[in-house]
Amino acid sequence: NHLEIEEGDFLSDEKTEALEYAAKKLSCIKSAFSMLSYNDMSSGKLKRKLTQKYEKEITETVIQMLLERGYLNDEALAHRYAESFYSSKKWGPARIRNELYARGFSSSDINNAIEQFDNIDHSENIRALLEAKYSKSQLSDRDTARKAAAYLYRQGYESSDIYEIINMIYQE
């Protein structure tokens, strides 16, 4: 017992404050584990959620403890999310970057996660998104092709890659 309190002891103000702090910290830890049991989340997102109920100092202490003990690993989680968004949702790097930022990841974790897409040809994903939404004949219409390009841009791809694939499909 690091608080050195025994049954029947008189609690000084200092010991009372220490006990109250320990109780708040324990409650914060329980809340953190409860939140993490439902879904993985970045330390930034967890911190935002916990600070709605707990003091900033307690929240930061708990987040640091979870990071040190390996319960939170933002870099690995950002990497997993990025891979999932790219392969399942077919999102491009820009959209993935925005989503990771919204989920509370740090710039360095986001950059590390997005780095894996730097030298990848995105044409397969772009083509899959286009074919799911538009027919070849629809893409021959300029207005529809512009709408398709805007859609793909919102999905996180660069204009040069988008128009290259649209032109390839049109020429087939």
Side-chain angles (χ1 to χ4, degrees), residues 120-154:
I120 291 180
D121 178 15
H122 304 295
S123 57
E124 190 176 310
N125 276 9
I126 293 171
R127 185 179 283 274
L129 287 170
L130 273 174
E131 290 174 352
K133 195 164 174 115
Y134 300 98
S135 69
K136 184 178 173 183
S137 62
Q138 287 176 311
L139 291 175
S140 63
D141 175 58
R142 275 187 176 227
D143 287 337
T144 304
R146 263 196 299 274
K147 287 179 185 175
Y151 162 70
L152 291 168
Y153 187 77
R154 287 190 307 275

Side-chain angles (χ1 to χ4, degrees), residues 100-123:
L100 293 177
Y101 179 77
R103 290 176 183 248
F105 290 97
S106 71
S107 294
S108 64
D109 289 335
I110 293 170
N111 290 337
N112 289 338
I114 298 295
E115 190 176 65
Q116 63 185 314
F117 306 117
D118 285 350
N119 298 316
I120 291 180
D121 178 15
H122 304 295
S123 57

